Amino acid sequence: MEKIIFRCEDSTDGIFTGVYDAWASKLGHDNVALQSGMNINYELFTSYVDVPVDHEKAYKVARTIREKMVEEDYEAVYQATLSKENDKADAIYRMIVLGLSCNYRGPLIQNLGNPHICKVFELSRNVGNEAHHYLGFVRFKELQNKVLSSVIEPENKIIPIIGDHFANRFPNENFLLFDKTHQMLMVHEVGKDWVVVTGEVNDPEKLYRASEREMEFQELWKGFCKSIGIKERKNQQLQRKLVPLKRRKYMPEFI
């Protein structure tokens, strides 16, 4: 039988929609596969089916995973959908199929002997590690309109993971967190839940225009960081290990 590949959007809802359609096709799990994103290597003797995002289908898949599998498995699958890797969708599909078709006791994600589960585990761990690092690397600045703003360039789509942290940390602030790599913008308004907006940002330069007071405080912060440094104990190699060069672009103390 000819292999069928379901092509879905590179997003959590897009991949979950692909899982729903691939399963509902009843073509047999061995005869179907999932691919996400635009960078697709076409295969011979294969048919491709484009899967439009359907939020209702995605919700049903997420609900089923949480009902039939343990929470640890759902968290691993969810974080894997945020990965930068192109081969994540099919590994996620295979893990879900296995989780719903067997009576495995305990977290399925711990069954690292299975190559698909091991792949999901690695993707999830990579996303989680990057999100954890950014909790310490994010720097907000006050814009001219008094809104706080921060720009980051992560490899993975980590904003959905770190959003709650900053919303809880700054509940009384209006702030923006912009993922320049993936064109994702987290918007937090005082008294409201934070939301994520995707797509091109109109006039992104507004996210960089700091207020005069902000510039004054940045100079004070730079002076403080310089004054507490001990020249004789300076260790550039250790500093690069703790704060990689690629993270410093939007950190005032390194500008």
Side-chain angles (χ1 to χ4, degrees), residues 179-244:
D179 178 348
K180 187 176 180 180
T181 306
H182 306 98
Q183 294 294 302
M184 300 176 68
L185 180 67
M186 172 191 173
V187 181
H188 177 269
E189 188 175 352
V190 176
K192 297 182 180 180
D193 292 333
W194 60 276
V195 297
V196 175
V197 181
T198 59
E200 294 290 334
V201 175
N202 294 327
D203 194 7
E205 291 301 319
K206 288 184 178 180
L207 301 175
Y208 303 90
R209 298 170 189 165
S211 65
E212 292 184 8
R213 187 176 70 165
E214 172 65 26
M215 298 305 296
E216 293 175 359
F217 274 100
Q218 284 194 13
E219 291 303 316
L220 290 173
W221 174 243
K222 292 178 184 179
F224 169 75
C225 291
K226 184 177 180 180
S227 66
I228 65 173
I230 302 175
K231 183 178 180 181
E232 290 75 16
R233 300 188 65 181
K234 191 172 184 179
N235 187 335
Q236 291 283 14
Q237 184 176 0
L238 177 61
Q239 189 182 71
R240 284 194 294 269
K241 182 178 179 180
L242 297 176
V243 188

Side-chain angles (χ1 to χ4, degrees), residues 5 10 58 65 73 75 100 102 106 126 144 160-161 173 184 190 204 211 213 224 230:
I5 293 181
D10 185 9
I65 296 173
D73 291 334
E75 291 178 359
L100 299 182
C102 72
N126 180 263
Q144 296 174 357
I161 301 177
E173 299 287 350
M184 300 176 68
V190 176
S211 65
R213 187 176 70 165
F224 169 75
I230 302 175

